[in-house]
Amino acid sequence: MDNHTAKEILSAYRPNGADAEDPNFRAALQHCERDPAMKAWLADQEQFDRRFADALADIRGPAKGRESILATLPFSREVTAAAGNRRSWLKFTALGLAALLVLSAVYMGSLLRLGPSLEPGEFALSRLAGSIVLLDYRASDVTSLQTWLHDRGAPVPGSLPEALALASAVGCKVFSNDRGGQISVLCVKIEGNLVHIFVFDDQTRDLLDAPRGQWWQENNYNLIAWEDNATVMAVATRAEPLLLPALL
Amino acid sequence: MNPESFRAIVHDWYDPLYRFALSLCRNPDDALDLTQSAFHKLAANAGRLREDNKAKSWLFSTLHREFIDHYRRSRRFPSTSLDLVAEPSHESPRPPGSSLDAADALELLDALDERYRAPLSLFYLESFSYKEIAAVLDIPIGTVMSRLRRAKDQLRARLENGAANPGESLPFPGKVDHG
C-alpha cells in the first residue's frame, strides 16, 4: 500500500474510534504504524477532524421545530395501529386515512409551522442576538452592510452614533416574520467586543417593548434601544458595562 | 414503529438532521423545513419501516433527496424567521486554542462543491460510517473515500489561507469569550 492510497482510505476513518475494528482500515492503519511521517499525518488528520466535528456539534435545531414534529405523534399512532393488520381492507382504509391525516398535518405544518408570530412581551432581544449563527452577508465596513441591506429592502439605520458607524464590521443578517416585518442586524466589533445593532421596521418596532435610552441586562447581554427619526434601533453586546457609554 | 420509538428517534436525530440540512442549504428556515418534512414523512411511513434502526439512514436519505429535488436550485433571498430562534448550546466551553466555531465551520463547508459537502457533513456528524454515507447518498464506497479526501484537502487549504478568519468570525452563542 502506498501513502496516497492509505490517506484516501483513512480520510473516512472517524476520529472517535468507531472504526477501530473495521477490517477495511486495518492495512492502512498498519501502514501508518510503520511510517513515522504517515503516523504524524494520521494524528494531525484526526485532530483536524475532531476540531471540525466539535465546531459543528454546537449547532442545535430550534426547540419549536422539535415540538412541532412531536405534535404529530397521535397521527403516527394511528398509522402504527393500522399497519398491524395488513390483510384487512378496513385496515388498509384506516392506513390510507391516517396517511391522509399525516399529509394534511404536513401541509398544515408547512403553513402554520411554528404557530403565530411573536407578540410584544414574547420577544427577547437577547435571544435574537444569541441566535445568530450564520450571517447573510459579510463585509468589513458598516457602509457596505447598509448598502447591502438597502438593496434588499431590509431596514437600514438612518444614522448611527459615530462609534458604531466607524466600527469594524463583521456582517449583517435579516430576520422576518410572517406578516412581512423585518429586523436587520449589523454586527460590528469594537475593541474586540462583538456589538449587534438591530434596526426595526414599522411592522416589527412594537415587538421591542423596552424603555428607550436606558441600558438594561438580559441573559448576559447589555442592551439599549432608541429611536431616530421614527426608526427604532437597539444594541446588544456582552461588552463590560464600563465600555458601554463609549458605544453611543 | 410505535409512538415511543418515534419520540426516541426525534430525540436522537433531530439536531444532527437539522445540522445536516443547514450544511446543505445554509438557510435556517429551509433547514427546518427539510428537517420537519423528513420526520413527517417518517411518521407517514411508520408502518412500512419494520426496523427502528433503519430510521437514521432513512431520514438522512429522505432529507438529501428532498434537498436535491426542491432546494438545491432555489437559494432564495436569505432571511430568517423571527419565530425561528436557535437554542444556545449548553455544553462546556471548548478548550483554549480551539478557535474554529460553528459559523466558521459552516462557512467553510459552504465554500465546498456540493459533491464534497454532503459526504463531509455526514462524516462530521460522527455517527455515520463511510458505508452509511455511501448508502445515504447512493454512491459507491470508493467515491465516498475519494470525496472525503478531496473535501478535507480543500478545507485545510481554505483554513490555512485564512478563508475563515476566526478573529473576524461571529462567536457561536454560548461560546463568546471577550477575554
Side-chain angles (χ1 to χ4, degrees):
Chain A
M1 178 176 292
D2 60 21
N3 287 353
H4 176 83
T5 307
K7 284 182 179 180
E8 186 140 313
I9 291 169
L10 291 172
S11 288
Y13 185 74
R14 288 174 289 179
N16 61 2
D19 297 319
E21 303 302 320
D22 187 327
N24 289 334
F25 290 112
R26 194 169 298 143
L29 288 170
Q30 286 169 350
H31 180 78
C32 288
E33 279 300 315
R34 287 191 295 268
D35 181 338
M38 282 297 291
K39 191 173 182 177
W41 172 86
L42 181 61
D44 185 52
Q45 180 78 28
E46 288 187 304
Q47 189 184 25
F48 178 83
D49 287 340
R50 227 173 272 124
R51 187 176 165 215
F52 214 90
D54 285 351
L56 287 175
D58 284 341
I59 298 169
R60 300 276 185 273
K64 284 183 178 178
R66 188 196 310 263
E67 290 159 14
S68 168
I69 293 162
L70 290 173
T72 64
L73 268 175
F75 297 112
S76 63
R77 192 175 289 123
E78 287 181 50
V79 172
T80 309
N85 185 352
R86 292 168 185 275
R87 291 171 192 276
S88 162
W89 68 271
L90 280 172
K91 291 296 170 85
F92 268 114
T93 306
L95 180 61
L97 283 171
L100 193 62
L101 283 170
V102 171
L103 288 173
S104 303
V106 171
Y107 177 67
M108 290 305 289
S110 69
L111 289 181
L112 302 174
R113 207 174 45 167
L114 295 172
S117 281
L118 291 169
E119 299 294 341
E122 296 176 316
F123 179 78
L125 197 58
S126 60
R127 198 162 176 224
L128 198 60
S131 76
I132 300 169
V133 182
L134 288 168
L135 295 169
D136 297 337
Y137 177 68
R138 283 178 179 257
S140 57
D141 65 284
V142 172
T143 306
S144 298
L145 301 184
Q146 288 177 300
T147 303
W148 189 87
L149 291 167
H150 177 267
D151 290 349
R152 279 148 188 81
V156 182
S159 64
L160 283 171
E162 193 177 3
L164 299 178
L166 299 177
S168 168
V170 179
C172 59
K173 185 173 182 65
V174 180
F175 289 93
S176 60
N177 65 15
D178 57 10
R179 296 170 190 165
Q182 296 185 103
I183 302 172
S184 300
V185 191
L186 296 86
C187 304
V188 300
K189 271 196 168 178
I190 297 177
E191 295 182 25
N193 298 292
L194 196 66
V195 179
H196 301 296
I197 308 161
F198 295 88
V199 189
F200 295 74
D201 67 9
D202 290 345
Q203 301 275 337
T204 54
R205 54 177 292 144
D206 292 337
L207 288 173
L208 191 59
D209 185 19
R212 309 305 194 222
Q214 292 173 24
W215 287 98
W216 82 95
Q217 282 202 318
E218 199 177 87
N219 299 325
N220 297 323
Y221 277 95
N222 295 302
L223 307 110
I224 190 168
W226 72 94
E227 292 191 22
D228 177 51
N229 288 330
T231 301
V232 174
M233 290 190 280
V235 153
T237 180
R238 283 173 164 157
E240 292 297 319
L242 276 175
L243 297 172
L244 301 180
L247 296 180
L248 301 177
Chain B
M1 182 183 297
N2 58 43
E4 285 68 35
S5 56
F6 182 78
R7 189 183 293 276
I9 288 165
V10 173
H11 179 266
D12 289 346
W13 296 109
Y14 173 74
D15 283 328
L17 202 62
Y18 176 82
R19 214 173 289 151
F20 180 51
L22 190 61
S23 73
L24 292 176
C25 62
R26 209 179 176 272
N27 178 317
D29 285 348
D30 289 345
L32 184 62
D33 283 344
L34 282 167
T35 306
Q36 289 185 310
S37 173
F39 279 112
H40 284 309
K41 284 179 178 169
L42 178 67
N45 287 281
R48 275 187 245 162
L49 204 69
R50 299 297 179 88
E51 298 168 55
D52 290 355
N53 60 9
K54 302 274 187 202
K56 178 177 103 176
S57 295
W58 193 95
L59 281 167
F60 282 83
S61 298
T62 301
L63 187 146
H64 186 246
R65 271 198 307 275
E66 184 155 351
F67 167 73
I68 288 171
D69 292 345
H70 300 295
Y71 287 81
R72 186 161 60 179
R73 295 182 203 287
S74 62
R75 281 197 168 188
R76 63 196 187 201
F77 166 63
S79 172
T80 304
S81 168
L82 272 173
D83 296 328
L84 180 60
V85 174
E87 296 300 300
S89 167
H90 297 294
E91 292 186 358
S92 56
R94 215 175 291 129
S98 173
S99 57
L100 190 72
D101 63 26
D104 291 330
L106 283 172
E107 291 269 352
L108 287 161
L109 277 178
D110 190 54
L112 295 178
D113 186 285
E114 191 191 302
R115 282 177 305 165
Y116 303 139
R117 196 161 74 240
L120 198 65
S121 300
L122 290 172
F123 177 80
Y124 283 129
L125 292 175
E126 287 207 321
S127 50
F128 280 87
S129 68
Y130 61 99
K131 291 175 187 167
E132 289 173 310
I133 295 171
V136 167
L137 303 180
D138 197 21
I139 53 177
I141 284 171
T143 306
V144 171
M145 289 179 168
S146 63
R147 287 187 184 178
L148 286 175
R149 173 80 200 282
R150 285 181 200 153
K152 289 183 189 181
D153 286 349
Q154 286 186 19
L155 273 190
R156 273 178 176 276
R158 290 187 66 81
L159 260 180
E160 283 160 14
N161 291 334
N165 182 347
E168 289 300 311
S169 69
L170 197 68
F172 188 73
K175 299 290 172 65
V176 178
D177 180 9
H178 293 303

